[in-house]
């Protein structure tokens, strides 16, 4: 489990930055960047990186750029660029006017490549991709030098220029850095800098038919933007010598690359490739399906930006990979919604209740608290009448010992209303299913307390049948049944671990009338049931659709209690 760190507390990245500020490295400046590749929607792992980069920049009075790492020409990138910007803003961060694209640096990168060729540090290689791989060797076997390695500078300049001019087929030649085929680090064995790809780019169109690799692009883009600390995930640790080599050879501004462990979340996959497979395979309704670990999915599900930022702060940053329990994320959401979400009553699986001794046609309005955690949120009126709905599972005809809710002959409290006692049960003649309850109410218990001090063991939520609004409610559960679908994936298809019950749709729910016209995206606590938000896409004027954000049961608090810790 990841260690806990709160804002302002130290972590190893802060230590490096603070030391650099103290020693006047980079003139005391702090300038960071968040560099997404626009090939998918942002997920909660990206949120960790966003919070880290934008958060540290703000903390040290620095800047954070948004840079699209768009060196791979593909078709759908525009949709991704727009969604990425929307998600970063939603999370609460601002890149000001510093929206950059690696593709904006293609001319400069080309010049850098020419500079390295002239210095005898890069060459055009005619080996095929398979041959390059073959020649590279392995961790235990040194590589072999390409027969094209000692081409003259003039020949290299000529061939590279002709690569750019489109004279050669895709894959027929590459530009490689001339480093060390015997290096223990495979990344240093003459890595590829440019490949030929006759493909349209979403920003540069058909201007280029050669594209720089990630390794040749990233550090130089950092340098061009004057980045001071280039924070990335651990898989780039082995690339750092190469990052440094390019910048040293080019003799340009040299940012410091720092690696941290990426976030893994239990019961989830966090790889754009796998998320795309879920979307394309129709396993979810889209990138913003409320079960997806994407920011757009979480937004639609009802998560607040504050709760995600809080989660990212709590998991902290470390050098070692770990899996964070999704229960912690849910705990953060619950904590935030508990403070801010107004309470309402909604019945998901309605059971009709007739109060026999309540006058027909009478209607009372009872006062209900909007949030017991925050009296400042005030009260609202809830209508009460002779026919109500309660939750089907709040009644049992033959209750077992520990069932304290409604049963024949038993008295319970209706929240904010009265005590009622069940006097009769109406069943379907054929199926035996309970269709309707008859109850009596005690007028002296208005507001929910008995003046004679008698007690009941349960308080139920309810709605007035005549006044309630029909609604659809979507109950979401974990997308995967196993805590680590990523590891289970080896050899098997990770979709085999999809939870078949991750979405349950209920279409005959009833919600209290105060929800009439509830704004898309607004969040509520349905008393006793959980937190819900109005679906921003499928709700309309006449039909409210609610997504369950999270249940009330706090698995994280339980885990912490079991470990003898206080829930954070
Ligand atoms: P994925 O593996 O999901 O495809 P990626 O690393 O290819 O992600 P990028 O768009 O390249 O995605 O990532 C942008 C930034 O977000 C990078 O700096 C990357 O290191 C960081 N990042 C991506 N995934 C995570 C994660 N799970 N935890 C923390 N940071 C992440
Ligand atoms: Mg990537």
């Amino acid at each position: 489990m990841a260690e806990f760190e709160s804002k302002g507390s130290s972590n190893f990245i802060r230590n490096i930055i603070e030391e650099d500020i103290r020693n006047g490295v980079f003139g005391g400046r702090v300038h960071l960047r968040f560099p997404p590749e626009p090939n998918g929607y942002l997920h909660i792992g990206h949120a960790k990186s966003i919070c880290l980069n934008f958060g540290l920049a703000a903390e040290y009075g620095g800047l954070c750029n948004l840079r699209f790492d768009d060196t791979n020409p593909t078709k759908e990138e525009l949709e991704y660029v727009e969604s990425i910007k929307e998600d970063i803003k939603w999370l609460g961060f601002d890149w000001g006017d510093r929206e950059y694209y690696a593709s904006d640096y293609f001319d400069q990168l080309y010049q850098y490549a020419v500079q390295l060729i002239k210095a005898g540090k890069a060459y055009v290689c005619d080996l095929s991709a398979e041959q390059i791989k073959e020649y590279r060797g392995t961790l235990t076997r040194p590589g072999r030098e390409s027969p094209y390695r000692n081409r003259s500078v003039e020949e290299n300049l000529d061939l590279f220029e002709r690569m750019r001019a489109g004279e050669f087929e895709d894959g027929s030649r590459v530009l490689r850095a001339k480093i060390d085929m015997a290096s223990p680090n495979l990344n240093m064995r003459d890595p590829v800098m440019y490949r030929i790809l006759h493909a349209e780019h979403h920003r540069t169109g058909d201007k280029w038919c050669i594209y720089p690799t990630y390794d040749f692009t990233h550090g130089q883009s950092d340098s061009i933007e004057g980045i001071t600390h280039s924070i990335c995930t651990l898989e780039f640790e082995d690339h750092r010598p190469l990052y440094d080599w390019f910048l040293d050879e080019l003799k340009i501004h040299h940012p410091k690359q720092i690696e941290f462990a990426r976030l893994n979340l239990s019961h989830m996959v966090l790889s754009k490739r796998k998320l795309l497979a879920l979307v394309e395979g129709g396993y979810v309704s889209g990138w913003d399906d409320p079960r997806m670990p994407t920011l757009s999915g979480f937004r639609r599900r009802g998560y607040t930006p504050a709760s995600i930022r809080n989660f990212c702060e709590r998991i902290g940053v470390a050098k070692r990979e770990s899996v964070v329990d999704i229960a912690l994320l849910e705990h953060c959401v619950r904590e935030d919604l508990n403070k801010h979400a107004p309470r309402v009553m909604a019945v998901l699986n309605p059971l009709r209740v007739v109060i026999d001794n309540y006058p027909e046609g009478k209607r009372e309005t009872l006062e209900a608290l909007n949030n017991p955690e925050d009296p400042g949120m005030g009260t609202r009126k809830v209508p009460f009448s002779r026919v109500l709905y309660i939750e089907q599972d709040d009644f049992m005809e033959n209750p077992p010992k520990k069932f304290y809710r409604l049963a024949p002959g038993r008295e319970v409290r209706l929240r904010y209303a009265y005590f009622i006692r069940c006097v009769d049960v109406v069943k379907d003649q054929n199926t035996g299913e309970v269709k309707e309850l008859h109850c009596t109410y005690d007028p002296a218990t208005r507001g929910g307390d008995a003046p004679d001090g008698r007690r009941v063991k349960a308080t139920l939520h309810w709605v007035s049948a005549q006044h309630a609004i029909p609604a659809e409610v979507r109950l979401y559960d974990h997308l995967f049944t196993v805590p680590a679908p990523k590891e289970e994936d080896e050899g098997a298809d990770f979709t085999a671990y999809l939870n078949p019950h991750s979405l349950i749709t209920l279409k005959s729910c009833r919600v209290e009338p105060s929800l009439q016209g509830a704004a898309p995206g607004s969040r509520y606590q349905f008393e006793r049931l959980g937190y819900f938000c109005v679906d921003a896409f499928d709700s309309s004027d006449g039909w409210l659709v609610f997504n369950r954000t999270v249940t009330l049961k706090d698995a994280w608090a339980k885990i912490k209690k079991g470990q003898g810790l206080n829930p954070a």
Side-chain angles (χ1 to χ4, degrees), residues 191-297:
V192 173
M193 295 163 57
Y194 269 91
R195 43 198 160 31
I196 304 173
L197 213 59
H198 290 85
E200 288 251 334
H201 186 280
H202 78 119
R203 284 176 68 86
T204 57
D206 58 6
K207 177 175 176 194
W208 296 90
C209 62
I210 56 171
Y211 290 94
T213 55
Y214 175 87
D215 281 323
F216 188 62
T217 308
H218 202 81
Q220 283 63 264
S221 303
D222 284 344
S223 177
I224 292 166
E225 292 175 17
I227 299 304
T228 57
H229 301 83
S230 180
I231 302 171
C232 61
T233 38
L234 277 183
E235 69 270 23
F236 293 105
E237 196 165 24
D238 289 344
H239 295 241
R240 185 170 5 110
L242 182 55
Y243 182 100
D244 291 335
W245 188 89
F246 282 130
L247 295 170
D248 286 340
E249 294 297 333
L250 290 166
K251 301 180 180 60
I252 53 178
H253 167 69
H254 193 148
K256 188 179 278 187
Q257 176 178 306
I258 307 169
E259 308 87 16
F260 70 99
R262 59 173 50 224
L263 167 68
N264 300 297
L265 198 59
S266 74
H267 299 91
M268 268 304 171
V269 293
L270 291 186
S271 126
K272 283 183 281 192
R273 184 179 59 78
K274 285 180 183 164
L275 297 178
L276 180 65
L278 292 176
V279 173
E280 291 190 330
Y283 298 104
V284 293
S285 64
W287 284 98
D288 68 349
D289 186 298
R291 290 166 292 180
M292 289 281 270
T294 52
L295 295 183
S296 50

Side-chain angles (χ1 to χ4, degrees), residues 326-501:
I326 197 166
L328 173 59
L329 176 60
E330 290 166 353
H331 171 81
C332 292
V333 175
R334 227 173 251 124
E335 205 175 50
D336 188 23
L337 293 178
N338 181 42
K339 279 185 232 137
H340 302 117
R343 275 56 170 167
V344 292
M345 290 197 283
V347 174
L348 302 190
N349 296 295
L351 173 60
R352 204 176 129 92
V353 173
V354 180
I355 314 286
D356 290 339
N357 61 340
Y358 196 87
E360 301 229 19
K362 180 173 171 178
R363 167 204 159 119
E364 282 175 89
T365 48
L366 304 171
E367 189 147 33
L369 274 178
N370 286 335
N371 189 346
E373 299 286 318
D374 180 3
M377 285 174 72
T379 60
R380 68 188 186 286
K381 301 283 189 211
V382 182
F384 185 88
S385 66
R386 181 178 153 92
V387 182
L388 312 170
Y389 289 118
I390 64 166
E391 214 65 66
Q392 279 170 20
D393 61 12
D394 277 336
F395 171 80
M396 280 186 94
E397 200 179 7
N398 301 298
K401 234 180 165 181
K402 293 222 161 147
F403 186 88
Y404 298 119
R405 291 167 271 163
L406 200 57
R410 189 181 286 171
E411 189 171 49
V412 297
R413 173 189 295 112
L414 294 181
R415 182 92 158 133
Y416 300 120
Y418 296 98
F419 284 13
I420 58 166
R421 185 183 301 279
C422 178
V423 294
D424 195 14
V425 182
V426 181
K427 290 197 244 178
D428 184 297
Q429 300 253 318
N430 300 318
T431 64
E433 187 195 347
V434 176
K435 285 283 177 211
E436 180 177 292
L437 304 179
H438 284 262
C439 295
T440 56
Y441 85 116
D442 177 357
T445 57
R446 187 181 154 120
D449 282 310
D452 62 5
R454 82 180 183 278
R455 295 185 175 271
V456 288
K457 283 195 167 152
T459 300
L460 310 186
H461 62 275
W462 54 274
V463 294
S464 163
Q466 192 199 330
H467 306 99
I469 312 168
E472 175 176 329
V473 171
R474 298 173 182 170
L475 303 177
Y476 296 101
D477 197 357
H478 297 153
L479 193 49
F480 290 93
T481 51
V482 294
K486 190 180 155 196
E487 271 96 78
E488 305 277 358
D489 182 23
E490 306 309 333
D493 178 4
F494 73 101
T495 56
Y497 304 98
L498 281 167
N499 177 4
H501 310 296

